[in-house]
């Protein structure tokens, strides 16, 4: 059962949609549940002046994205980096245990947007860049495309995934998942 706060953020999401002229975007996905989140940032000085999100996922995914943007709005980049899975869950008055992973994605998308901003990346990872990373790891086109289609956007995301999650990506065989995980960690 969801808390009233979760239901409020699901039915009345705050900061939903892309931010026009965003300075950075953070995109993450979970191939197991299929959730994909994007956080868009505008930064003035060292402070988040505007923030938005696009999420494809369940009620918890939308609520965690909404809450994450509320927690980050107006904060400095360093303050926003302190927003964690636990702080998002706490602000939502809890989540069912099987939905806590959604808060991981929302916080990860925020952190990735900040990292992209600080590294001068405006748009986040492009298909060509990600496929290039996968090619450098020795992945063939079929497995690279399967990862992309599942929302896995680069070597860093593969490193953060558990082997079991990677093995559940549609089109990735379990024995291939182990090789992909090792190649990402060795890179």
């Amino acid at each position: 059962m969801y808390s009233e706060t979760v239901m409020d953020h699901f039915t009345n999401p705050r900061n939903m949609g892309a931010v026009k002229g965003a300075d950075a975007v953070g995109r993450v996905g979970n191939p197991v549940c299929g959730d994909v989140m994007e956080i868009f940032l505008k930064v003035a000085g060292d402070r988040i002046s505007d923030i938005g999100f696009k999420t494809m996922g369940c009620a918890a995914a939308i609520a965690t994205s909404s809450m994450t943007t509320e927690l980050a709005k107006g904060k400095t980049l360093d303050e926003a980096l302190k927003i964690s899975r636990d702080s998002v869950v706490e602000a939502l008055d809890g989540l069912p245990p099987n939905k806590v992973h959604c808060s991981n994605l929302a916080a990860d998308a925020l952190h990735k947007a900040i990292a992209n901003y600080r590294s001068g990346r405006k748009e986040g990872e492009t298909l060509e860049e990600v496929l290039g990373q996968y090619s450098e790891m020795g992945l063939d086109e079929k497995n690279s495309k399967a990862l992309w289609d599942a929302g896995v956007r680069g070597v860093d995301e593969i490193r953060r995934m558990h082997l079991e999650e990677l093995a559940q990506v549609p089109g990735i065989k379990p024995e291939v998942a182990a090789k992909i995980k090792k190649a990402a960690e060795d890179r």
Side-chain angles (χ1 to χ4, degrees):
M1 192 68 175
Y2 291 122
S3 70
E4 285 184 33
T5 308
V6 170
M7 291 308 297
D8 180 42
H9 277 268
F10 169 61
T11 58
N12 303 295
R14 282 63 152 189
N15 310 304
M16 187 176 224
V19 172
K20 187 175 182 178
D23 294 313
V25 179
R27 181 182 302 115
V28 297
N30 183 323
V32 175
C33 68
D35 291 347
V36 178
M37 297 179 181
E38 290 179 305
I39 299 277
F40 302 84
L41 298 179
K42 282 215 55 113
V43 180
D46 189 41
R47 198 166 289 279
I48 296 172
S49 60
D50 198 6
I51 187 168
F53 76 93
K54 286 184 176 180
T55 294
M56 183 179 71
C58 64
I62 292 167
T64 58
S65 298
S66 174
M67 180 58 79
T68 298
T69 62
E70 284 290 280
L71 293 171
K73 188 183 272 186
K75 296 232 181 334
T76 66
L77 297 177
D78 286 336
E79 289 168 341
L81 282 172
K82 293 177 184 172
I83 296 171
S84 67
R85 172 185 81 182
D86 293 337
S87 60
V88 174
V89 171
E90 185 178 321
L92 287 169
D93 298 323
L95 282 173
N98 65 329
K99 295 296 182 177
V100 170
H101 70 278
C102 296
S103 63
N104 262 345
L105 287 177
D108 286 351
L110 173 64
H111 297 166
K112 188 168 185 178
I114 293 169
N116 286 342
Y117 174 78
R118 287 185 164 165
S119 70
R121 299 182 62 99
K122 185 171 180 169
E123 299 299 325
E125 307 288 351
T126 66
L127 173 63
E128 293 77 24
E129 290 170 325
V130 172
L131 293 181
Q133 287 180 17
Y134 293 160
S135 176
E136 289 172 13
M137 289 173 45
L139 294 183
D140 63 18
E141 186 176 334
K142 177 182 164 270
N143 288 315
S144 296
K145 188 78 169 90
L147 289 169
W148 176 266
D149 289 345
V152 181
R153 298 293 189 257
V155 176
D156 290 335
E157 284 191 42
I158 294 171
R159 287 187 192 121
R160 286 192 301 266
M161 294 173 71
H162 294 285
L163 180 57
E164 296 77 23
E165 291 176 304
L166 196 55
Q168 291 181 16
V169 170
I172 302 288
K173 295 179 180 173
E175 63 273 11
V176 174
K179 291 177 183 175
I180 293 170
K181 182 75 172 162
K182 182 170 181 355
E185 290 172 353
D186 289 347
R187 191 161 184 260

